[in-house]
């Protein structure tokens, strides 16, 4: 009885203490700095602590403070929270500097604390704010930055996508950049002092050219950017340019150069560039029929998943490799897993390629009707206008993928004896490939590749020459030091010898004088 009498109160006490800890509140202060050109009076916080209430609730309105930031202090229970900032509704939620969605902010509350945030832009006025900021700029660096941001928003954000506007502002950014002192003095070009966005703009122009099928121009722009990144020794820019250059070479089916640049992208890039570079390495090996190496890099990339779209991309890569290795059932499994993820993440190219992979599976199995069904579905997916817009936003060319899948459809119609349809899709594929890979473009591409190879060889020769000059200078300096040392020693020896001779002569002279004096003294007595 004593045991139970003692146990129950202690148990109850523990429960009460635990309950009290849940009811405890701590003071959390949220401070917000607006980086947008246009400032706002009303900024609200919404999160898990108020059931994501995004309306103009004054209890969650931030108050202005001197000299400019706004803040609010809330009493919240300890533990994890998620939140975002709005200007009164989800239609005015915070965005990043390119108008893209910001993931839910998160924090684990343990004690009284202050959390400081910056907000780059707001939904519904992100692009307008860039123009507003542009008109306020006095320096070339500032104008270049905002022209670049406008170009990037037109070219990267589906909500604002406009190919003509993206090209106009991107090219204008490039002209301003090329007229700047920093561009002319590339040896002192520092991308970390305001030129990060212009380099991203050069990559954007490359993506726009790539999406239009102008691969030589894409390569030309990116090689210029790569040279700047090399001079600036900017590892992030080096990784990004090499990764995208690898994509240009893959599109032109130059798999050896694609492999070279993809490996550089994997060496220098940050996580995203490294992941994409491994993807390009795997596909380069795949096209070079080095399937074990392709599978190795494909699986190596599995540790670098970033998004659900990356998973779909990864599964498509594995499916293609297993298909080429004649493991048809495993390939089919991976192709089927791609489709739902591709649809959820709006990746029509991945969906179409997976559908084409399934079509090839049924073709090998002799099920031509099923194969044709999937192949036609793949073509229709790429031809939809809204999907083509999405493909262009992502820097790809719909015609490139249509030209890859159309011969499969033609072959399937031929198997069914429908020669008119077969001829139509064969001609369709031929016309697309002619526009993408005509002789002039191939010649331009080869010229650029040759020029880049020559540039690298010239840089290597300059490096070796500089090293040789340095070694020669060291040798000459050492030889000069030896000669000078020899002369110094010789001079010291000569001077010492002269001093000894002088001392001997001086001593002899003193001795003669001393002897003569004593003789005269004796003679005097």
């Amino acid at each position: 009885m004593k045991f139970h009498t003692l146990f129950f109160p202690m148990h109850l006490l523990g429960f009460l203490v635990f309950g009290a800890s849940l009811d405890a509140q701590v003071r959390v202060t949220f401070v917000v700095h607006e980086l947008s050109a246009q400032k706002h009076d009303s900024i609200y916080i919404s999160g898990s602590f108020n059931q994501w209430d995004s309306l103009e609730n004054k209890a969650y309105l931030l108050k202005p403070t001197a000299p400019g930031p706004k803040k609010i202090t809330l009493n919240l229970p300890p533990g994890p929270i998620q939140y975002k900032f709005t200007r009164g509704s989800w239609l005015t939620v915070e965005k990043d500097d390119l108008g893209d969605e910001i993931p839910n902010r998160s924090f684990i509350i343990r004690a009284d604390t202050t959390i400081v945030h910056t907000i780059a832009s707001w939904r519904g006025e992100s692009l307008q704010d860039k123009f507003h900021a542009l008109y306020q700029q006095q320096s070339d660096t500032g104008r270049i930055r905002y022209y670049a941001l406008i170009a990037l928003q037109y070219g990267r954000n589906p909500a604002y996508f406009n190919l003509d506007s993206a090209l106009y502002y991107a090219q204008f950014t490039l002209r301003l950049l090329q007229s700047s002192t920093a561009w002319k003095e590339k040896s002192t070009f520092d991308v970390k002092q305001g030129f990060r966005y212009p380099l991203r703009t050069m990559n954007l122009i490359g993506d726009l050219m790539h999406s239009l099928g102008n691969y030589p121009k894409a390569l030309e722009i990116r090689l210029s950017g790569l040279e700047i990144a090399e001079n600036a020794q900017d590892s992030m820019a080096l990784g990004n340019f090499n990764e995208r250059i690898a994509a240009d070479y893959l599109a032109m089916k130059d798999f050896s150069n694609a492999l070279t640049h993809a490996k550089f992208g994997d060496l220098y890039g940050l996580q995203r560039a490294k992941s994409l570079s491994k993807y390009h390495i795997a596909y380069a090996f795949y096209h070079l029929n080095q399937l074990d190496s392709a599978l190795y890099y494909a699986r190596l990339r599995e540790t670098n998943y970033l998004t659900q779209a990356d998973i779909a991309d990864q599964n498509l890569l594995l499916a293609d490799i297993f298909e080429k290795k004649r493991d048809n059932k495993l390939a089919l499994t991976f192709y089927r897993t791609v489709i739902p993820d591709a649809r959820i993440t709006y990746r029509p190219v991945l969906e179409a390629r997976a559908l084409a992979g399934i079509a090839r599976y049924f073709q090998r199995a002799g099920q031509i009707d099923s194969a044709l069904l999937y192949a036609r579905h793949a073509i229709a997916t790429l031809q939809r206008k809204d999907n083509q817009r999405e493909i262009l936003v992502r820097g790809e060319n719909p015609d490139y993928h249509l030209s890859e899948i159309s011969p499969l459809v033609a072959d399937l119609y031929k198997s069914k004896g429908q020669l008119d349809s077969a001829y139509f899709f064969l001609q369709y594929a031929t016309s697309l490939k002619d526009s993408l890979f005509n002789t002039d473009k191939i010649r331009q591409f080869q010229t650029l590749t040759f020029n880049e190879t020559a540039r690298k060889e010239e840089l290597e020769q300059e490096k070796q020459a500089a090293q040789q000059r340095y070694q020669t200078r060291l040798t000459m300096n050492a030889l000069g030091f030896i000669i000078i040392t020899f002369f110094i020693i010789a001079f010291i020896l000569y001077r010492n010898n002269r001093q000894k001779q002088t001392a001997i002569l001086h001593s002899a002279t003193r001795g003669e004088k001393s002897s003569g004096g004593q003789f005269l003294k004796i003679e005097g007595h």
Side-chain angles (χ1 to χ4, degrees):
M1 285 296 292
K2 289 181 180 179
F3 173 79
H4 289 290
T5 302
L6 290 172
F7 174 77
F8 179 75
M10 292 299 292
H11 178 70
L12 179 60
L13 179 62
F15 178 78
L16 292 174
V17 170
F18 177 72
S21 68
L22 289 178
D23 293 333
Q25 300 280 302
V26 295
R27 290 170 59 82
V28 183
T29 300
F30 299 90
V31 179
V32 167
H33 296 263
E34 281 189 279
L35 299 182
S36 55
Q38 302 172 95
K39 310 300 180 186
H40 301 86
D41 293 331
S42 301
I43 298 177
Y44 299 84
I45 187 170
S46 176
S48 55
F49 46 80
N50 67 351
Q51 288 73 53
W52 293 101
D53 177 13
S54 67
L55 301 179
E56 297 180 5
N57 188 336
K58 291 186 178 180
Y60 298 99
L61 174 66
L62 279 70
K63 303 295 192 298
T65 63
K70 296 177 175 62
K71 71 177 183 179
I72 187 172
T73 300
L74 301 176
N75 293 318
L76 301 173
I81 59 169
Q82 290 189 325
Y83 55 97
K84 283 186 177 181
F85 298 99
T86 76
R87 292 188 293 107
S89 74
W90 292 124
L91 295 177
T92 57
V93 70
E94 59 176 319
K95 295 287 185 177
D96 68 12
D97 57 1
L98 293 179
D100 291 327
E101 190 72 26
I102 291 179
N104 292 344
R105 300 183 185 274
S106 60
F107 191 80
I108 299 176
I109 302 171
R110 294 187 174 89
D112 292 357
T113 188
T114 297
I115 311 171
V116 180
H117 291 295
T118 58
I119 295 177
S121 67
W122 302 93
R123 183 177 180 181
E125 65 177 39
S126 180
L127 187 59
Q128 174 192 350
D129 191 73
K130 302 296 182 299
F131 282 108
H132 191 79
L134 176 63
Y135 299 140
Q136 297 176 353
Q137 300 305 307
Q138 300 298 320
S139 67
D140 285 344
T141 301
R143 281 193 288 271
I144 289 170
R145 180 179 187 273
Y146 280 99
Y147 272 118
L149 281 169
I150 292 168
L152 288 164
Q153 195 145 340
Y154 274 128
R156 290 267 192 256
N157 193 313
Y160 296 97
F161 180 75
N162 184 303
L163 185 60
D164 292 337
S165 296
L167 276 172
Y168 172 79
Y169 285 103
Q171 290 171 341
F172 197 85
T173 303
L174 193 57
R175 284 199 296 272
L176 279 178
L177 185 62
Q178 290 171 337
S179 65
S180 69
T181 303
W183 179 277
K184 294 170 184 176
E185 298 175 3
K186 292 180 182 179
S187 59
T188 60
F189 198 99
D190 186 356
V191 295
K192 296 174 184 176
Q193 299 298 322
F195 286 92
R196 180 80 71 187
Y197 286 113
L199 280 181
R200 288 176 64 182
T201 306
M202 293 180 74
N203 241 335
L204 170 66
I205 297 173
D207 284 347
L208 294 173
M209 293 296 104
H210 189 109
S211 68
L212 292 171
N214 193 342
Y215 305 123
K217 190 63 178 178
L219 183 64
E220 178 186 348
I221 293 292
R222 289 199 235 265
L223 289 175
S224 296
L226 181 62
E227 184 179 359
I228 295 171
E230 287 172 347
N231 291 332
Q233 296 182 345
D234 185 315
S235 58
M236 186 175 84
L238 281 170
N240 289 339
F241 276 111
N242 275 297
E243 181 271 314
R244 298 313 301 152
I245 288 169
D248 292 333
Y249 277 121
L250 281 174
M252 287 296 291
K253 303 185 186 303
D254 185 344
F255 305 119
S256 296
N257 273 311
L259 187 60
T260 299
H261 283 278
K263 286 183 176 180
F264 277 119
D266 188 33
L267 178 64
Y268 291 110
L270 300 182
Q271 185 182 19
R272 180 67 178 168
K274 283 179 177 289
S275 179
L276 290 171
S277 293
K278 286 184 176 66
Y279 175 84
H280 296 324
I281 292 170
Y283 260 120
F285 277 129
Y286 165 82
H287 286 292
L288 292 169
N289 288 317
Q290 299 181 38
L291 300 183
D292 290 338
S293 296
L295 193 57
Y296 170 77
Y297 276 96
R299 285 175 168 161
L300 196 63
R301 186 176 181 249
E302 289 178 356
T303 60
N304 292 317
Y305 284 154
L306 299 175
T307 66
Q308 191 172 2
D310 291 329
I311 296 173
D313 217 354
Q314 178 73 10
N315 287 334
L316 180 63
L317 169 59
L318 291 170
D320 285 344
I321 293 170
F322 285 124
E323 180 189 41
K324 210 166 190 179
K325 288 173 75 72
R326 304 301 184 195
D327 194 337
N328 294 326
K329 289 186 177 179
L330 190 55
L332 179 63
T333 300
F334 276 105
Y335 281 132
R336 282 178 167 161
T337 62
V338 170
I339 296 171
D341 285 338
R343 288 174 179 169
I344 290 171
T345 56
Y346 305 105
R347 297 296 195 274
V349 167
L350 300 183
E351 180 183 354
R353 287 176 57 193
L355 289 166
I358 295 173
R360 290 192 297 272
Y361 171 84
F362 282 118
Q363 182 186 34
R364 288 190 296 273
Q367 301 179 42
I368 305 302
D369 288 337
S370 296
L372 190 56
L373 178 68
Y374 279 97
R376 287 297 305 266
H377 192 180
I379 293 287
T381 299
L382 292 171
Q383 287 176 332
R384 280 178 50 186
K385 287 187 177 180
D386 56 338
N387 282 350
Q388 292 210 341
R389 176 188 176 91
E390 192 68 37
I391 294 167
L392 289 169
V393 169
R394 302 190 185 283
E396 294 192 74
N397 188 295
D399 289 349
Y400 176 87
H401 298 284
L402 284 166
S403 71
E404 294 285 299
I405 297 173
S406 295
L408 171 63
V409 180
D411 197 35
L412 291 169
Y413 273 122
K414 181 181 176 182
S415 298
K416 287 175 66 66
Q418 299 180 25
L419 300 183
D420 289 345
S421 297
Y423 179 75
F424 171 82
F425 278 98
L426 195 59
Q427 285 293 101
Y428 182 51
T430 301
S431 64
L432 290 173
K433 288 184 177 180
D434 283 346
S435 66
L436 290 167
F437 306 112
N438 62 52
T439 305
D440 289 339
K441 285 186 179 179
I442 292 173
R443 190 180 298 112
Q444 290 176 49
F445 209 82
Q446 289 171 340
T447 301
L448 286 167
T449 301
F450 174 79
N451 290 342
E452 173 63 4
T453 303
R455 186 183 75 85
K456 287 188 174 180
E457 289 177 354
E458 184 179 347
L459 286 174
E460 185 61 30
Q461 288 173 0
E462 288 179 2
K463 184 179 177 181
Q464 291 176 0
Q467 185 68 24
Q468 184 63 42
R469 287 194 297 270
Y470 177 71
Q471 291 293 340
T472 302
R473 192 163 59 250
L474 284 180
T475 303
M476 294 300 294
N477 289 342
L479 183 59
F481 177 77
I482 292 170
I483 292 171
I484 291 170
T485 303
F486 172 78
F487 278 113
I488 290 171
I489 293 172
F491 174 75
I492 291 171
L493 291 173
Y494 172 76
R495 188 185 64 179
N496 288 344
N497 187 47
R498 288 293 303 271
Q499 287 175 346
K500 286 180 181 179
Q501 290 177 358
T502 303
I504 292 169
L505 289 172
H506 186 64
S507 177
T509 303
R510 239 190 2 254
E512 289 176 0
K513 288 180 180 181
S514 178
S515 299
Q518 188 178 14
F519 176 75
L520 289 171
K521 188 176 181 182
I522 294 171
E523 198 175 48
H525 283 286

